[in-house]
Amino acid sequence: MALYCRRRVRALEEQIEATARAAGAARVGFASRDRLLDSPPSAHPERVLSSARSASAVAFSLDGATQRAFLAKRDRLAHCHERKRLAQRVYALSDRLVELLRARGHEARGVDVNNVYRAEPGARDVTEMTEFLPDFSHRYAAVAAGLGRLGWSGNLLTPEHGAMVELGTVLTSATLEPSPLLEHD
């Protein structure tokens, strides 16, 4: 029975990964709820889905030429359009993965792109806000899923694309096998 269950889980993981790769994700990984519990509160999955046992994390790479032009201060708008295009791809993939997981009897919820932050309790206006907490931290999910590690700036760094990635996360009640963590040098 245990072997049958493990095969079903592995088949689900393979389907998630294939769907993400087909959508253009450069990296895909899985994190257990337990791996996320040592993270800051903004990475606790129950904040978004109370039944969450696992997270599927994805990273889409930004176009290198567009990023070089942005960093050289030659073309800011192309960078903005690229980020918007990738955010749309993250949302579309998230919707597909949520449908896939729900069709197999699991609860699932995609996490919005981190652009809405909650005010610090007691803050009267933005000048008093010192803690900008997203609903859920894609960076910590990506680290826990083995996609990369946190750099000095707090950004996720992937081996292939550095920090030039757009992240997405789907939380689920399915128990998925955590991906190996990225080894530090």
Side-chain angles (χ1 to χ4, degrees), residues 35-115:
R35 274 195 189 166
L36 291 163
L37 292 181
D38 288 336
S39 302
S42 62
H44 292 184
E46 68 275 358
R47 290 173 57 146
V48 175
L49 181 67
S50 61
S51 64
R53 291 187 188 135
S54 304
S56 296
V58 298
F60 286 83
S61 65
L62 293 156
D63 177 69
T66 301
Q67 296 317 301
R68 285 188 292 281
F70 170 73
L71 293 172
K73 300 186 189 271
R74 289 191 311 266
D75 190 353
R76 182 185 70 80
L77 286 179
H79 168 74
C80 294
H81 292 303
E82 172 80 355
R83 297 282 312 271
K84 180 180 176 182
R85 183 183 67 79
L86 287 180
Q88 290 170 336
R89 290 173 76 183
V90 167
Y91 278 114
L93 173 59
S94 178
D95 290 346
R96 275 181 275 179
L97 294 179
V98 166
E99 287 175 20
L100 184 151
L101 288 157
R102 287 180 179 167
R104 280 151 189 76
H106 304 287
E107 290 184 52
R109 183 158 180 206
V111 179
D112 284 340
V113 172
N114 289 346
N115 59 4

Side-chain angles (χ1 to χ4, degrees), residues 68-178:
R68 285 188 292 281
F70 170 73
L71 293 172
K73 300 186 189 271
R74 289 191 311 266
D75 190 353
R76 182 185 70 80
L77 286 179
H79 168 74
C80 294
H81 292 303
E82 172 80 355
R83 297 282 312 271
K84 180 180 176 182
R85 183 183 67 79
L86 287 180
Q88 290 170 336
R89 290 173 76 183
V90 167
Y91 278 114
L93 173 59
S94 178
D95 290 346
R96 275 181 275 179
L97 294 179
V98 166
E99 287 175 20
L100 184 151
L101 288 157
R102 287 180 179 167
R104 280 151 189 76
H106 304 287
E107 290 184 52
R109 183 158 180 206
V111 179
D112 284 340
V113 172
N114 289 346
N115 59 4
V116 177
Y117 293 81
R118 294 181 314 285
E120 181 178 349
R124 291 186 305 253
D125 62 47
V126 73
T127 62
E128 293 183 1
M129 293 181 192
T130 58
E131 292 184 26
F132 293 99
L133 300 174
D135 288 333
F136 182 81
S137 175
H138 294 287
R139 294 181 297 170
Y140 286 101
V143 169
L147 302 189
R149 62 180 178 80
L150 293 181
W152 289 353
S153 66
N155 288 330
L156 180 79
L157 298 174
T158 66
E160 303 89 352
H161 308 287
M164 299 300 176
V165 292
E166 194 71 38
L167 303 173
T169 310
V170 172
L171 300 171
T172 180
S173 62
T175 302
L176 303 174
E177 184 69 28

